[in-house]
Amino acid sequence: MASSPIMMISVLSLFFIFTANARVFPRRSLLDDPPAVNNFTFVCDPSRYDKLGLDFSSFGFCDSSLSFPERAKDLIDRMTLSEKAAQLGHVASGVDRLGLPPYNWWSEALHGVSNVGPGTQFDKVVPGATSFPNVITTASSFNEDLWKTIGQAVSTEARAMYNLGRAGLTYWSPTINVIRDPRWGRTVETPGEDPFVVGKYAKNYVRGLQDVEGSENVTDLNSRPLKVSSCCKHYAAYDVDNWLGVERYSFDARVTEQDMLETFNKPFEMCVKEGDVSSVMCSYNRVNGIPTCADPVLLKDTIRGNWGLHGYIVSDCDSVKVMVEDAHYLQDTNEDAVAQTLKAGLDLDCGQIYPNYTESTVRQGKVGMRNIDNALNNLYVVLMRLGYFDGNTGFESLGKPDICSDEHIELATEAARQGTVLLKNDNDTLPFDPSNYKTLAVVGPHANATSAMLGNYAGVPCRMNSPMDGLSEYAKVKYQMGCDSVACKNDTFIFGAMEAARTSDATVIFVGIDLSIEAESLDRVDLLLPGYQTQLVQQVATVSKGPVVLVILSAGGIDVSFAKNNSNIKAIIWAGYPGEEGGRAIADVIFGKFNPGQKDQIYPNLSIQGDK
Ligand SMILES: *[C@@H]1O[C@H](CO)[C@@H](O)[C@H](O)[C@H]1NC(C)=O
Ligand SMILES: *[C@@H]1O[C@H](CO)[C@@H](O)[C@H](O)[C@H]1NC(C)=O
Ligand SMILES: *[C@@H]1O[C@H](CO)[C@@H](O)[C@H](O)[C@H]1NC(C)=O
Ligand SMILES: *[C@@H]1O[C@H](CO)[C@@H](O)[C@H](O)[C@H]1NC(C)=O
Ligand SMILES: *[C@@H]1O[C@H](CO)[C@@H](O)[C@H](O)[C@H]1NC(C)=O
Ligand SMILES: *[C@@H]1O[C@H](CO)[C@@H](O)[C@H](O)[C@H]1NC(C)=O
Ligand SMILES: *[C@@H]1O[C@H](CO)[C@@H](O)[C@H](O)[C@H]1NC(C)=O
Ligand SMILES: *[C@@H]1O[C@H](CO)[C@@H](O)[C@H](O)[C@H]1NC(C)=O
């Protein structure tokens, strides 16, 4: 395969076990859960107990003079086995007679509060949240402060949404799998191919999401307060989704001990040890034959034992079911799978196997109560650290004005600017001086990109600024799509784009891919621009009156060596998937308001905590 000028490509080492499995696992069905919108302030509110007709003072788990583990034990000891089982899925039912409300553990905040998890929703009360660039873009800034600052902004919006009853407190982000092949469909979610950079990103984003100012260094990590809870996922050796029939639910990654330590473990180790993350998620795949969520060496010994996790381990959604139904691991029954995973150290099932089969597993003598109580303890201590039981977090005043604030929108723009990569700039063609370029041909399938800029695991953005919007601030724009979509199945629209290029002072061509080409459950088979996009670029470049700038929107690398060699194309920019303010950021780079070669430059008017 061709090599990419954008990314160094690691040797393909993972695609050698082929297991055909035609069934597409219905992960999305979990999204049909009823949203668990919190309609109370905190559990141990005496007036709540009065209204429920329960005697508040009799519940030791509400006694704030005890430690969190002691209070969690008190709560768990009051539950029957069936009540315990009902708390072990991502939809925890709560226990009415104890005044324990239901809780949905599944919220997501990969690059802004997302509505992919059913614990979070947008509606009239909260119509949108700041949608930052996708992680592969933000990572390209190599700016650790920026990564942390974005985490802080996201957790502020998440807390505000929680106060408004529209979000949870437990966020299953970030994704910190190392990219081993740029064709992986989830490249967009990750900080890249370098285990150390990925680990640094993890540490900073997790600290931004979780840390409560002033308590970063609390020594008793079971009591350290959390702004929101973050989760590093998906552990481990997970980096193939669906590649020519090889798919994640049945994939068995064969990994050497050296590769495990140096590549796959490293970011997770940094996430736990340096980030003090409060959750880790195990993946769908197997490692050397064993499903990751059932492997005590990976979970109990490594994450909790060697690295010292203070928090809970959650399965990817339906991982336990996948063990039984897709991997057919040891011909397991549901009860076998519950026993193996609980003993391995899995605390929470994103799914329904734990709630449905824990009781029968105990009845069959396959697992002891100690494993169940341990799991619940890990879960409740995290909720206590979040202030879910006691309130009084200091975040109560956050509300609507803290979501989509001007400051956060500016931070999203700045992140997109800093994540932009200049790949070619012959004869210092960029930046453009606006007085020399009064008309711009803005062409290509991404010239008016909107939702494509948001990538995956996005929520509803505050607003949207497309490339055309951004460039219109600097020059008169002639817009032509050039293709009907990124698939660009025919050359019908190329003529219009050529015409615009012939009659403008300069041409900016926006090409690339989107989630129809690279996505979760969708790996690519090559690195080329789809359909007639290459032809569009070549033909437009041949006839353009002024200099041509090529802008690529993608997560995984695209082979643009044809454009690097083309002397009519003066500049090439990779913008990743730059988030809701992407157009403005790209225009600022093209017209010199921001220099993408100067990675340490911080936008001077930015005054958000944590930034320089
Ligand atoms: C609050 O949540 C409880 C538990 O889900 C539910 O029974 C009750 O109806 C809800 N109240 C409101 C006002 O939504
Ligand atoms: C926590 O420790 C770090 C490293 O020693 C230090 O830089 C930071 O100032 C400390 N924070 C607080 C709030 O004490
Ligand atoms: C779990 O039980 C519920 C309620 O009986 C049922 O609707 C659901 O299909 C079950 N799920 C699994 C995976 O067994
Ligand atoms: C740069 O400009 C000079 C002078 O116009 C020209 O000779 C040269 O070919 C240009 N180089 C590139 C790489 O475009
Ligand atoms: C650009 O995209 C937006 C959002 O999809 C759409 O409303 C608008 O009409 C498009 N503009 C043009 C000129 O096609
Ligand atoms: C090219 O694509 C357009 C839009 O999808 C379609 O209307 C047209 O018929 C296609 N032309 C050819 C020659 O296939
Ligand atoms: C680009 O130019 C290099 C060096 O001249 C050449 O080896 C390569 O084949 C060219 N690639 C393309 C795609 O034209
Ligand atoms: C930044 O602040 C300076 C001084 O307050 C102001 O003149 C300038 O317009 C600001 N720039 C932007 C881009 O907001």
Side-chain angles (χ1 to χ4, degrees):
M1 74 191 221
S3 75
S4 160
I6 294 170
M7 291 187 177
M8 298 284 293
I9 302 168
S10 312
V11 176
L12 287 184
S13 58
L14 282 169
F15 296 131
F16 60 85
I17 294 192
F18 187 91
T19 319
N21 188 334
R23 194 163 79 83
V24 175
F25 196 78
R27 175 175 176 201
R28 295 291 156 200
S29 68
L30 289 177
L31 298 179
D32 301 335
D33 294 343
V37 170
N38 303 302
N39 60 11
F40 67 100
T41 47
F42 52 94
V43 174
C44 294
D45 173 357
S47 67
R48 242 190 100 242
Y49 276 81
D50 284 349
K51 279 191 203 121
L52 294 169
L54 295 169
D55 178 10
F56 175 77
S57 64
S58 70
F59 295 119
F61 61 83
C62 281
D63 178 351
S64 58
S65 71
L66 302 176
S67 72
F68 290 158
E70 286 167 331
R71 292 170 62 182
K73 183 176 185 318
D74 178 87
L75 173 60
I76 296 157
D77 286 348
R78 290 169 190 273
M79 294 184 193
T80 64
L81 173 57
S82 89
E83 285 168 347
K84 289 177 184 179
Q87 316 312 318
L88 290 172
H90 71 282
V91 181
S93 70
V95 183
D96 286 346
R97 65 181 187 88
L98 301 176
L100 184 69
Y103 181 73
N104 195 313
W105 285 85
W106 184 4
S107 289
E108 304 267 357
L110 183 64
H111 54 101
V113 181
S114 162
N115 53 359
V116 169
T120 299
Q121 60 177 5
F122 293 97
D123 57 17
K124 277 192 198 125
V125 176
V126 182
T130 310
S131 196
F132 291 89
N134 281 254
V135 176
I136 191 76
T137 306
T138 302
S140 304
S141 69
F142 293 95
N143 182 343
E144 292 184 49
D145 289 339
L146 177 70
W147 302 337
K148 184 171 174 185
T149 306
I150 292 174
Q152 289 167 334
V154 171
S155 54
T156 293
E157 297 199 0
R159 266 286 172 181
M161 285 180 68
Y162 176 76
N163 292 344
L164 295 162
R166 295 298 179 277
L169 292 170
T170 45
Y171 288 83
W172 294 344
S173 309
T175 302
I176 59 161
N177 298 104
V178 174
I179 302 168
R180 301 271 287 192
D181 184 316
R183 298 172 301 178
W184 181 33
R186 300 185 81 170
T187 293
V188 52
E189 293 174 44
T190 78
E193 71 218 346
D194 182 298
F196 182 76
V197 173
V198 175
K200 282 289 178 201
Y201 177 88
K203 173 202 159 168
N204 282 283
Y205 192 67
V206 166
R207 289 215 164 263
L209 285 182
Q210 291 198 155
D211 282 4
V212 176
E213 209 180 336
S215 58
E216 295 91 338
N217 301 335
V218 167
T219 48
D220 173 12
L221 297 179
N222 280 323
S223 74
R224 198 172 82 92
L226 296 166
K227 189 175 175 192
V228 301
S229 166
S230 169
C231 172
C232 280
K233 70 189 186 187
H234 317 75
Y235 187 68
Y238 169 48
D239 52 15
V240 57
D241 262 56
N242 188 347
W243 186 80
L244 298 178
V246 179
E247 53 90 50
R248 55 185 175 164
Y249 305 119
S250 52
F251 181 63
D252 184 10
R254 298 281 162 170
V255 182
T256 64
E257 198 174 345
Q258 179 174 5
D259 220 5
M260 195 68 196
L261 292 180
E262 292 178 350
T263 303
F264 299 115
N265 271 354
K266 190 69 191 169
F268 286 90
E269 180 178 4
M270 290 169 75
C271 173
V272 175
K273 285 186 177 168
E274 296 178 31
D276 189 26
V277 77
S278 52
S279 177
V280 173
M281 179 183 285
C282 50
S283 54
Y284 290 115
N285 57 288
R286 283 170 285 166
V287 172
N288 299 331
I290 305 176
T292 60
C293 295
D295 190 343
V297 174
L298 292 181
L299 307 192
K300 194 153 59 84
D301 298 351
T302 305
I303 300 175
R304 205 170 281 286
N306 296 344
W307 301 340
L309 173 73
H310 288 79
Y312 69 99
I313 300 179
V314 59
S315 72
D316 202 340
C317 294
D318 284 340
S319 274
V320 182
K321 190 174 177 183
V322 161
M323 261 174 74
V324 178
E325 294 187 6
D326 296 66
H328 303 293
Y329 180 61
L330 303 178
Q331 305 306 320
D332 272 357
T333 62
N334 287 312
E335 285 81 6
D336 295 329
V338 169
Q340 284 153 9
T341 52
L342 271 172
K343 286 178 188 166
L346 180 70
D347 301 308
L348 183 71
D349 174 18
C350 177
Q352 298 177 321
I353 302 291
Y354 272 16
N356 286 13
Y357 298 100
T358 295
E359 275 189 87
S360 49
T361 306
V362 172
R363 274 203 309 274
Q364 291 174 18
K366 289 183 169 155
V367 76
M369 201 62 86
R370 189 172 46 88
N371 295 99
I372 294 165
D373 291 353
N374 270 344
L376 289 168
N377 200 279
N378 291 330
L379 292 165
Y380 287 118
V381 168
V382 167
L383 286 182
M384 288 175 182
R385 292 171 61 194
L386 285 161
Y388 182 78
F389 282 80
D390 300 329
N392 195 24
T393 56
F395 300 114
E396 284 80 3
S397 65
L398 295 174
K400 271 197 88 137
D402 301 290
I403 306 167
C404 291
S405 63
D406 291 347
E407 237 182 348
H408 290 176
I409 289 173
E410 184 51 35
L411 179 62
T413 317
E414 178 59 15
R417 291 185 193 106
Q418 291 194 23
T420 302
V421 181
L422 185 64
L423 297 170
K424 175 181 180 181
N425 191 18
D426 277 358
N427 277 359
D428 294 337
T429 300
L430 292 181
F432 282 168
D433 177 345
S435 60
N436 295 337
Y437 299 100
K438 298 213 184 299
T439 56
L440 282 185
V442 178
V443 306
H446 275 320
N448 186 31
T450 50
S451 58
M453 297 194 300
L454 304 181
N456 74 350
Y457 283 81
V460 179
C462 314
R463 61 183 206 190
M464 201 82 93
N465 189 285
S466 75
M468 209 171 54
D469 297 333
L471 290 168
S472 299
E473 296 293 314
Y474 289 95
K476 190 170 180 312
V477 158
K478 285 186 201 170
Y479 165 66
Q480 286 290 327
M481 228 179 143
C483 298
D484 59 336
S485 67
V486 292
C488 205
K489 291 273 197 239
N490 69 41
D491 58 4
T492 310
F493 301 104
I494 295 180
F495 181 75
M498 291 167 71
E499 197 48 38
R502 243 188 232 116
T503 55
S504 304
D505 298 332
T507 299
V508 189
I509 314 177
F510 287 89
V511 297
I513 52 182
D514 62 19
L515 298 181
S516 67
I517 310 282
E518 57 173 349
E520 188 165 1
S521 287
L522 182 63
D523 298 325
R524 287 186 292 164
V525 292
D526 62 44
L527 297 176
L528 302 174
L529 285 171
Y532 283 87
Q533 285 199 44
T534 302
Q535 191 177 321
L536 165 73
V537 175
Q538 302 279 36
Q539 289 186 212
V540 167
T542 305
V543 301
S544 179
K545 184 173 92 177
V548 174
V549 178
L550 180 66
V551 182
I552 301 144
L553 262 59
S554 76
I558 306 277
D559 180 354
V560 289
S561 47
F562 75 89
K564 184 168 177 253
N565 283 7
N566 185 331
S567 59
N568 291 332
I569 298 170
K570 298 298 178 194
I572 305 177
I573 288 168
W574 177 83
Y577 295 127
E580 65 168 67
E581 305 297 320
R584 193 149 67 96
I586 293 166
D588 287 349
V589 166
I590 290 175
F591 281 94
K593 185 167 170 186
F594 181 84
N595 178 355
Q598 217 178 310
K599 288 297 180 198
D600 59 350
Q601 177 176 323
I602 301 291
Y603 201 58
N605 291 6
L606 202 63
S607 63
I608 289 175
Q609 182 209 350
D611 218 302
K612 284 178 208 154

